[in-house]
């Protein structure tokens, strides 16, 4: 298959990769390599592993500073809500990452949940690629731009809370009793 124009994507995120192989790798799904063996490429799973850890740290640091009065349990729940597959695949979609994914013909037809997972993984791989290409601050800036704005919503809408706790709380507020 022909290569997507990663230059266009780099313009969109305002960052030029020194090592072009890194951005290509970030968008390469394992399935793609099965159909395009000869090229000596790598899929994005190692970069995703790295990017996942960078994302966790950056989001943790941000929440720690933003909510000085919140206990660790709440912060853990906020972080989990911010880095869900849905949250990061949504960020990836907004960046138009879908158009650049290197997938097998079978995977390319997939939509819905399967595609969300592939997009979320590519988003994390891209973080890993940014981190390797130019370090923590670059990766952090990218995450700040694409993820931090969701924090207010997560906290306000209590999307971080599990359904059971939420029901108990609403019952308390409206009926003054806790359901069992």
């Amino acid at each position: 298959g022909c290569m997507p124009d990663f230059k266009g994507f780099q313009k969109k995120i305002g960052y030029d990769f020194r090592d072009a192989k890194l951005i290509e790798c970030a968008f390469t799904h394992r399935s793609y390599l099965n159909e395009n063996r000869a090229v000596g490429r790598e899929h994005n799973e190692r970069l995703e592993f790295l990017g996942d850890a960078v994302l966790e740290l950056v989001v943790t640091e941000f929440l720690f500073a933003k909510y000085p009065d919140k206990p660790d349990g709440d912060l853990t729940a906020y972080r989990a809500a911010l880095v869900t597959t849905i949250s990061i695949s949504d960020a990836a979609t907004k960046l138009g990452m879908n158009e650049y994914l290197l997938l097998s013909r079978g995977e390319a037809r997939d939509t819905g949940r399967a595609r969300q997972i592939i997009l979320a993984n590519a988003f994390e791989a891209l973080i890993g690629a940014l981190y390797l290409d130019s370090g923590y601050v670059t990766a952090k800036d990218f995450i700040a731009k694409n993820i931090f704005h969701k924090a207010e919503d997560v906290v306000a809408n209590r999307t971080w809370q599990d359904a059971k706790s939420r029901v108990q709380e609403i019952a308390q507020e409206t009926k003054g009793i806790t359901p069992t």
Side-chain angles (χ1 to χ4, degrees):
C2 64
M3 271 290 131
D5 170 23
F6 292 117
K7 285 268 173 282
F9 182 76
Q10 293 178 88
K11 209 176 250 122
K12 192 179 283 186
I13 63 169
Y15 181 78
D16 262 322
F17 275 82
R18 285 187 284 239
D19 180 355
K21 272 211 185 77
L22 280 170
I23 186 169
E24 190 180 304
C25 179
F27 280 97
T28 304
H29 187 257
R30 170 189 284 276
S31 68
Y32 178 82
L33 297 186
N34 300 337
E35 289 176 10
N36 304 269
R37 274 258 160 84
V39 283
R41 286 210 185 88
E42 277 184 70
H43 58 69
N44 65 6
E45 288 166 23
R46 282 173 52 86
L47 282 179
E48 181 205 329
F49 166 75
L50 178 62
D52 177 60
V54 175
L55 178 62
E56 286 263 315
L57 178 58
V58 168
V59 169
T60 301
E61 203 178 47
F62 166 71
L63 293 171
F64 187 86
K66 184 172 170 68
Y67 300 106
D69 304 327
K70 295 289 183 189
D72 62 316
D74 287 1
L75 296 176
T76 301
Y78 298 170
R79 180 178 63 199
L82 278 176
V83 303
T84 57
T85 299
I86 291 168
S87 167
I88 59 180
S89 67
D90 176 55
T93 301
K94 285 201 175 78
L95 287 173
M97 286 179 70
N98 214 17
E99 298 157 51
Y100 298 90
L101 292 172
L102 296 169
L103 303 165
S104 68
R105 286 186 286 277
E107 294 287 350
R109 286 192 292 270
D110 257 340
T111 53
R113 177 74 181 159
R115 177 55 60 90
Q116 279 190 329
I117 291 167
I118 289 171
L119 274 167
N121 293 348
F123 187 85
E124 290 185 339
L126 181 61
I127 292 169
L130 288 163
Y131 177 77
L132 286 181
D133 201 60
S134 79
Y136 184 71
V137 174
T138 299
K140 183 179 172 168
D141 289 346
F142 173 78
I143 295 164
K145 225 179 271 166
N146 293 287
I147 299 290
F148 288 1
H149 64 90
K150 297 164 177 276
E152 305 278 347
D153 273 354
V154 159
V155 175
N157 301 336
R158 307 189 97 89
T159 45
W160 51 276
Q161 206 175 38
D162 66 280
K164 189 173 146 194
S165 314
R166 188 72 188 113
V167 166
Q168 287 180 334
E169 213 165 69
I170 292 167
Q172 273 282 299
E173 283 163 13
T174 55
K175 303 268 186 263
I177 53 164
T178 303
T180 51

